[in-house]
Amino acid sequence: TCSGIVPMKGRAEAISITDFGGVGDGRTLNTWAFHKAIYRIQHLRRRGGTLLYVPPGVWLTGSFNLTSHMTLYLARGAVIKATQDTSNWRLIDPLPSYGRGRELPGGRYISLIHGDGVHDVIITGEYGTIDGQGDVWWNMWRQRSLRFTRPGLVEFMNSRDILISNVIFRNSPFWNIHPVYCSNVVIRYVTILAPSDSPNTDGIDPDSSSNVCIEDSYISTGDDLVAVKSGWDEYGMAFRRPSYGITIRRITGSSPFAGIAVGSETSGGIENVLVENINLSNMGIGIHIKTNVGRGGYIKNITISDVNMNTTRKGLRIAGNVGDHPDDNYNPNAVPFVDGITIKNVWGVNVLQPGTIQGIKGSPFTRVCLSNVKLWGEVPWKCTDVSGAALEVQPWPCSELTTTTG
């Protein structure tokens, strides 16, 4: 386990949301109660920090910000439920590494639970639920009536020493858990659920962040289960904040998109990612490493091992032609550098197509190495603009990957 980078800790005092007028009847809006409770934690600054207890009940609320040295603790049977009144949802600035909202120009709606510039924050409990009630936002997306980018469930920005564990996340309007510009983040023992047709409900997206540990979780959503990112085209290249030191292990889940993804927003660079012991079923793509011309940046030193996939459209895709652009100002000569991808001990059953590896003409992907990859099926591999090696790969890999015996 890598979870020791942010250990669980007790707090010197505990307060309850009910102490601040909170009512868990599913109808009363508790936004002000959460604001008051967290304001108290922020300004009293108890040595050893404070635990905010959310008892059993349904706690309807708008967005609220966490503060340093606090634990948000959800009891068994506690549900923090987002209000579906979208008209009063607060806007915040776009991320500088994206230059605009990810979906639409301009700002973006703040996540339900937000933290900016905080440290020593824990979200945990007895498998209580954080429910984004995202269907109203999904329908706005489908009807093209959104004015700005949808809110996520939990986002930490510019923060460190963050632990999220033993919580169920449901029905996020957009990405579920998004640590961005963060370091020392542990996410483990979480369950993340959204309908398979819910748009862009990524499970966990570490973004321009370092020393991130994601373990022992179940994710079933409408988009990538875990996607490592680092900024978008010219904005990400200018911001220059890479993602590195990312460990992902013992994840189980299903999605019409990817199980484990790197990209496609890779402009700040992504390196030193370790993925192991992954179990996937009913997937679109098992492993998806994706970038595009105009992204710049790099993807290097990615190791993925011990992956089981059952009923998957495509086992493995490594591609240099995936993803849209924020505007017309991207540099078409900004070509990403992809080198050092090792994928080993992969087993697939009911895999329609084993895989495609499509580098970029004039900038081939290098040192792509497959070992003991068994994706049984009749359809051949497809490869272009790639070099590397293959050992014990079924069906037989493409000729661009030299068959090796060592």
Side-chain angles (χ1 to χ4, degrees):
T1 180
C2 49
S3 60
I5 60 174
V6 188
M8 182 63 77
K9 60 164 71 171
R11 298 296 187 188
E13 71 161 359
I15 57 177
S16 172
I17 192 64
T18 57
D19 301 337
F20 299 86
V23 180
D25 61 2
R27 297 186 305 274
T28 304
L29 194 64
N30 292 285
T31 314
W32 183 235
F34 278 107
H35 279 280
K36 284 192 292 185
I38 294 165
Y39 182 89
R40 177 192 181 280
I41 295 170
Q42 184 177 4
H43 289 84
L44 274 186
R45 294 183 180 172
R46 293 277 192 233
R47 183 183 295 275
T50 300
L51 180 147
L52 175 56
Y53 179 75
V54 182
V58 179
W59 307 87
L60 191 68
T61 180
S63 171
F64 58 90
N65 289 311
L66 302 181
T67 189
S68 297
H69 308 299
M70 76 168 284
T71 297
L72 178 65
Y73 189 97
L74 285 80
R76 186 174 301 278
V79 180
I80 295 176
K81 186 171 276 194
T83 174
Q84 291 193 306
D85 178 7
T86 62
S87 59
N88 291 318
W89 210 276
R90 187 158 68 92
L91 280 174
I92 57 174
D93 289 337
L95 293 165
S97 58
Y98 283 73
R100 46 158 270 192
R102 185 60 186 84
E103 299 187 277
L104 292 163
R108 58 204 183 101
Y109 292 110
I110 192 169
S111 58
L112 174 63
I113 299 175
H114 196 77
D116 188 357
V118 298
H119 61 279
D120 180 24
V121 179
I122 300 172
I123 301 175
T124 189
E126 305 159 64
Y127 289 102
T129 298
I130 298 172
D131 186 344
Q133 293 211 95
D135 54 340
V136 64
W137 296 96
W138 307 332
N139 288 333
M140 288 164 68
W141 178 86
R142 291 174 182 126
Q143 294 157 10
R144 303 193 174 183
S145 60
L146 273 172
R147 295 172 56 223
F148 300 98
T149 296
R150 288 169 282 158
L153 268 191
V154 175
E155 181 177 80
F156 285 99
M157 300 172 55
N158 307 301
S159 298
R160 59 182 167 83
D161 301 322
I162 306 298
L163 171 60
I164 302 173
S165 75
N166 303 88
V167 175
I168 299 166
F169 297 86
R170 280 185 179 275
N171 301 323
S172 177
F174 193 57
W175 300 346
N176 276 268
I177 302 174
H178 185 215
V180 57
Y181 320 141
C182 288
S183 62
N184 299 350
V185 178
V186 173
I187 302 166
R188 67 195 304 229
Y189 302 129
V190 300
T191 299
I192 303 176
L193 305 172
S196 61
D197 64 346
S198 56
N200 311 105
T201 50
D202 297 28
I204 304 170
D205 286 359
D207 195 344
S208 293
S209 292
S210 59
N211 297 335
V212 179
C213 172
I214 301 167
E215 291 183 333
D216 301 299
S217 295
Y218 178 81
I219 307 173
S220 177
T221 63
D223 212 312
D224 299 342
L225 305 186
V226 179
V228 183
K229 302 175 182 289
S230 71
W232 200 14
D233 284 10
E234 68 269 26
Y235 304 104
M237 285 189 284
F239 197 71
R240 294 179 65 181
R241 180 79 182 262
S243 278
Y244 62 91
I246 315 281
T247 303
I248 302 161
R249 56 163 72 93
R250 295 184 299 277
I251 302 297
T252 301
S254 60
S255 160
F257 285 85
I260 302 297
V262 174
S264 74
E265 302 89 343
T266 59
S267 302
I270 296 173
E271 65 181 319
N272 300 343
V273 177
L274 172 65
V275 180
E276 56 188 16
N277 298 112
I278 307 296
N279 284 287
L280 306 171
S281 58
N282 300 308
M283 296 300 306
I285 303 174
I287 301 161
H288 197 182
I289 298 171
K290 46 186 173 172
T291 185
N292 206 347
V293 168
R295 289 286 192 263
Y298 55 83
I299 301 172
K300 57 187 183 182
N301 194 16
I302 312 291
T303 302
I304 300 173
S305 72
D306 300 287
V307 179
N308 286 307
M309 50 184 88
N310 186 349
T311 312
T312 301
R313 200 171 66 245
K314 182 175 289 190
L316 166 66
R317 185 184 188 200
I318 305 175
N321 61 351
V322 175
D324 54 347
H325 302 287
D327 49 42
D328 293 334
N329 298 322
Y330 73 93
N331 178 3
N333 297 316
V335 176
F337 171 72
V338 180
D339 175 73
I341 296 172
T342 300
I343 298 172
K344 58 188 179 183
N345 303 336
V346 177
W347 184 271
V349 178
N350 296 330
V351 178
L352 286 183
Q353 184 185 18
T356 57
I357 306 176
Q358 299 166 297
I360 295 170
K361 195 172 283 300
S363 181
F365 297 169
T366 53
R367 294 196 305 152
V368 175
C369 299
L370 310 182
S371 171
N372 191 29
V373 175
K374 305 289 172 47
L375 299 171
W376 308 100
E378 303 299 319
V379 181
W381 288 76
K382 290 182 183 174
C383 301
T384 55
D385 300 295
V386 60
S387 65
L391 178 66
E392 296 182 19
V393 176
Q394 293 284 347
W396 196 253
C398 35
S399 58
E400 289 83 351
L401 301 183
T402 337
T403 302
T404 59
T405 54

